[in-house]
Amino acid sequence: MAEDMSTPDVEALSFEEALRALEQIVRRLESGDVPLDESISLYAQGEALRKRCADRLQAAEARIQKLTVDAGGAVTGAQPFGAD
């Protein structure tokens, strides 16, 4: 494999990079061709990548605001995402 997934700097990865790395790990684990010790290591890396993706999504949701408009279509305010 061209990419070294043994020690990825998870915190330095963008959401997209972390998701791609996680998908590669899942494919390797699903193949069933990975020895047990390596599977355990890959699982731990995958969990770190999953957490990174979840944290990035949560941060993005926190930045999104729902705009409120009046009957004429004018923006009257904003409230945090999911505050319905």
Side-chain angles (χ1 to χ4, degrees), residues 23-83:
E23 289 171 343
Q24 287 179 340
I25 287 172
V26 169
R27 278 193 294 275
R28 288 190 64 202
L29 290 172
E30 287 179 340
S31 76
D33 295 332
V34 183
L36 179 60
D37 288 339
E38 187 177 353
S39 293
I40 293 168
S41 176
L42 286 171
Y43 181 86
Q45 290 175 24
E47 181 58 25
L49 290 164
R50 183 210 57 81
K51 184 179 181 326
R52 173 68 174 165
C53 289
D55 290 348
R56 297 284 295 175
L57 285 174
Q58 187 176 24
E61 285 179 350
R63 292 182 12 216
I64 297 171
Q65 293 188 345
K66 178 181 174 183
L67 299 178
T68 53
V69 296
D70 63 18
V75 175
T76 58
Q79 62 187 26
F81 180 82

